[in-house]
Amino acid sequence: MSAIGRNAPCPCGSGKKYKRCCALKTNQTSWSMRLVIGLVAICLIGGLILILTTLGDIEPGAPTGRVWSAEHGHWH
């Protein structure tokens, strides 16, 4: 099968050049794929923001899931 040149007539029969007809259609991303890519990007950015905002809340040497009680002077 030979490649279609950009200036050759379009094989769909429209009478237009290939570069003005079907070449434009094959290079476009579908709306559903754009939506999926956008949602994945939003989730990744949201996760990054969540991680960056919680980095300052962790005290060095603090046990996981426990809080310091200044009143009692020990971890709860």
Side-chain angles (χ1 to χ4, degrees):
M1 182 173 168
S2 64
I4 302 170
R6 286 176 38 89
N7 290 320
C10 191
C12 73
S14 66
K16 298 179 182 179
K17 289 183 179 181
Y18 178 70
K19 68 181 179 184
R20 300 277 183 196
C21 189
C22 290
L24 298 173
K25 295 175 188 173
T26 59
N27 293 334
Q28 292 182 352
T29 307
S30 67
W31 284 104
S32 59
M33 185 57 77
R34 288 182 187 185
L35 180 64
V36 169
I37 291 170
L39 290 175
V40 168
I42 289 171
C43 290
L44 290 174
I45 291 170
L48 181 63
I49 290 171
L50 182 65
I51 289 171
L52 291 176
T53 56
T54 59
L55 284 179
D57 297 341
I58 301 171
E59 294 181 30
T64 305
R66 304 191 77 186
V67 293
W68 178 257
S69 173
E71 181 182 348
H72 299 122
H74 59 88
W75 294 97
H76 286 265

